[in-house]
Amino acid sequence: AAAAAAAADGAGGFATAPGVRAARYDGEGLLISADGGAVRLWSMERRRRICSLKSSQGREELHAGGVSSMDTSDAAVLTGGGDGNLRLFNLEDLSLRCSLRGHAAPISSCVLLGESHAASASTDGAVRLWDVDSEAGAAGGGGGTRADELLPPLPDQPPSPVLLQPLRSSALQRQLLCARAGRLLLLDIDSHAILSAVPPPAARSPIVAMAADDGRGFAASASLTAGQVHLWDLRLLPGPEAVGGSDLLRAGGGDLWMDLPPSARRALVGSVPLPVRGTTARQLHLDGSKLLVGIDGGVHCGTPFSCASQTVALYDMRALRGSSCSAPAARPLWEARVPGSATVLNCVGAPALGARRDPSTLVLGTCAGLVLVWNAAAAAGASVSAAGSPGAPREAGAEAAAVFGGPDSRRDRWRSAEKEAGLGGGPTDKKWRAKVRVRGRYPKTQGFSNVVARSR
């Protein structure tokens, strides 16, 4: 909390607003952010808040311990909190579909698996699979407790992040990638079995960031203070017998990297060194030819549950052409500082807010309670120093395409926040008038998906 407050003061953001813990952008105008215990919907087109999701009691605070994880689909929002509970919302009418209870520790990751299933992981090592359809019958979203246990809790180990990543490629359907107890596990959703596992080269360090490229079957992981990002070919991951057996892996044990035979090490196809040794990659996004990394080089870079990244870097992954590549020449394209330190990093390959030079849009949640929206081409310019030559990364707030404030955003706060980000303004006194709606996909969200704002 002290680090978040200090970051907010240094960035000129809202010191009283909680940091953003999750953010999702659908590429079509809807931004969903979670700060504190609330989840808010924003219109990217009109740069204003649409509404907040509410519990069955009508409160904006969905989780007593704050929202710690969130996942979205076209028609649903799943949130997990520090109270160990999950809530599933219907995005079309903003209603609470069901509440899922069963974890004994805070939720560290939650994902949606199609329309009828969801998976969640808590800091005690437990991973559960939920049948959403069977839980949706609870009136008012109450009482859902049934779940299949994919992995049991680890009572003898200290709390650590447990990460989940669904795999949707044709070769890896119905499989779930999990980072737990310092190891990567590939889980089968149908049989609940551990298909494969591998420990990263960083001995006994928890994995704090993970991403997967579904189209090519590759994944990226980062261990605490490892100073590098490891790239894996998921098709070459060794079976559980090569790492000690399924029973030992479920209990949080298993062989270390140095104990693996050479045949089991083929899954590691490369490592990307970070600009500074001893730093930690807190956020990862792997998408075909690019790898986005949020880098934490501050005083808290050795803390497992810290999520603040002072800089964001983009690496070129086009050298990684196949599983036979042993050392891809990952080339950093640019590195930019984030005002207020980034806590969330998302990349959407759809143009937004006038971005024409690069179809990628970066969404960054910060410790200051702001959500920054960059276009990739403008953010790339932040890696060039004021003299025009490459050097230390400078503040990239001037390249932000939009800034979305915290829960107490008023007109003056909007202006000060966007002025700090270099946008030179905020909502004006002009009135807004919407065109006739073409479609009514979301009846209670003011038609954000098809409303074009214009001033009279």
Side-chain angles (χ1 to χ4, degrees):
D9 294 338
F14 308 146
T16 58
V20 178
R21 296 305 308 270
R24 292 289 188 274
Y25 173 49
D26 66 349
E28 298 180 357
L30 174 64
L31 174 67
I32 305 177
S33 66
D35 51 81
V39 175
R40 312 176 195 281
L41 278 66
W42 304 82
S43 172
M44 293 276 286
E45 190 174 31
R46 304 183 66 178
R47 295 192 186 182
R48 62 179 59 184
R49 189 174 69 185
I50 300 171
C51 61
S52 298
L53 299 181
K54 295 184 179 181
S55 64
S56 56
Q57 291 80 21
R59 296 180 298 182
E60 291 189 1
E61 185 179 7
L62 304 180
H63 298 278
V67 178
S68 56
S69 181
M70 181 179 70
D71 193 21
T72 62
S73 65
D74 292 339
V77 178
L78 178 66
T79 65
D83 53 2
N85 300 330
L86 297 102
R87 297 183 186 273
L88 181 63
F89 290 87
N90 191 335
L91 194 56
E92 294 186 358
D93 56 6
L94 304 181
S95 62
L96 178 62
R97 185 175 176 183
C98 61
S99 295
L100 308 175
R101 303 182 179 92
H103 284 280
I107 303 296
S108 61
S109 181
C110 62
V111 293
L112 290 167
L113 304 173
E115 298 180 356
S116 59
H117 289 86
S120 60
S122 54
T123 58
D124 60 355
V127 179
R128 296 177 179 271
L129 179 66
W130 304 87
D131 187 351
V132 176
D133 288 339
S134 65
E135 304 293 351
T145 57
R146 258 188 49 200
D148 296 329
E149 188 177 72
L150 294 180
L151 295 174
L154 304 175
D156 298 333
Q157 295 191 13
S160 62
V162 180
L163 309 178
L164 300 177
Q165 176 69 45
L167 303 176
R168 300 181 175 91
S169 65
S170 57
L172 300 170
Q173 284 184 350
R174 305 295 295 172
Q175 295 181 11
L176 185 65
L177 186 63
C178 175
R180 173 179 179 261
R183 291 164 179 83
L184 284 178
L185 307 176
L186 196 59
L187 308 176
D188 186 89
I189 298 176
D190 297 325
S191 63
H192 303 173
I194 299 178
L195 300 179
S196 55
V198 64
R204 305 186 184 278
S205 295
I207 299 175
V208 296
M210 181 177 62
D213 181 10
D214 294 336
R216 303 176 66 190
F218 291 99
S221 68
S223 301
L224 191 66
T225 65
Q228 57 185 345
V229 177
H230 300 115
L231 303 175
W232 307 90
D233 190 337
L234 299 179
R235 297 162 294 184
L236 299 178
L237 289 179
E241 296 78 12
V243 194
S246 298
D247 295 338
L248 189 59
L249 290 171
R250 291 181 180 275
D255 296 337
L256 299 179
W257 176 260
M258 62 187 69
D259 301 327
L260 297 182
S263 59
R265 300 185 183 185
R266 295 184 305 161
L268 181 63
V269 296
S271 298
V272 180
L274 300 181
V276 180
R277 295 184 60 183
T279 55
T280 300
R282 295 293 183 182
Q283 296 90 22
L284 296 175
H285 177 85
L286 182 61
D287 183 12
S289 61
K290 59 190 175 185
L291 173 66
L292 277 166
V293 184
I295 304 173
D296 180 10
V299 296
H300 300 285
C301 67
T303 305
F305 290 100
S306 176
C307 57
S309 299
Q310 293 77 36
T311 60
V312 175
L314 176 66
Y315 291 86
D316 189 359
M317 293 286 103
R318 284 176 291 186
L320 189 59
R321 295 298 182 184
S323 60
S324 61
C325 183
S326 59
R331 182 173 61 90
L333 299 180
W334 53 262
E335 183 182 4
R337 293 194 182 277
V338 181
S341 297
T343 57
V344 179
L345 187 153
N346 291 150
C347 181
V348 180
L353 298 176
R356 294 292 184 266
R357 293 173 293 174
D358 192 310
S360 298
T361 299
L362 307 184
V363 178
L364 303 172
T366 68
C367 293
L370 303 176
V371 178
L372 307 178
V373 181
W374 294 352
N375 62 71
S383 63
V384 180
S385 62
S389 59
R394 63 180 176 88
E395 297 289 340
E399 286 76 19
V403 176
F404 295 84
D408 297 327
S409 299
R410 297 290 190 268
R411 188 177 301 274
D412 54 343
R413 291 182 178 270
W414 275 90
R415 287 172 175 167
S416 61
E418 295 204 343
K419 183 177 180 181
E420 181 68 24
L423 300 180
T428 63
D429 293 330
K430 296 180 180 180
K431 295 183 179 180
W432 296 87
R433 182 174 58 188
K435 288 183 178 180
V436 179
R437 299 182 181 180
V438 181
R439 61 176 188 258
R441 182 180 179 188
Y442 303 102
K444 289 189 177 181
T445 54
Q446 305 176 11
F448 61 85
S449 60
N450 50 35
V451 172
V452 178
R454 60 183 182 182
S455 58
R456 290 195 251 221

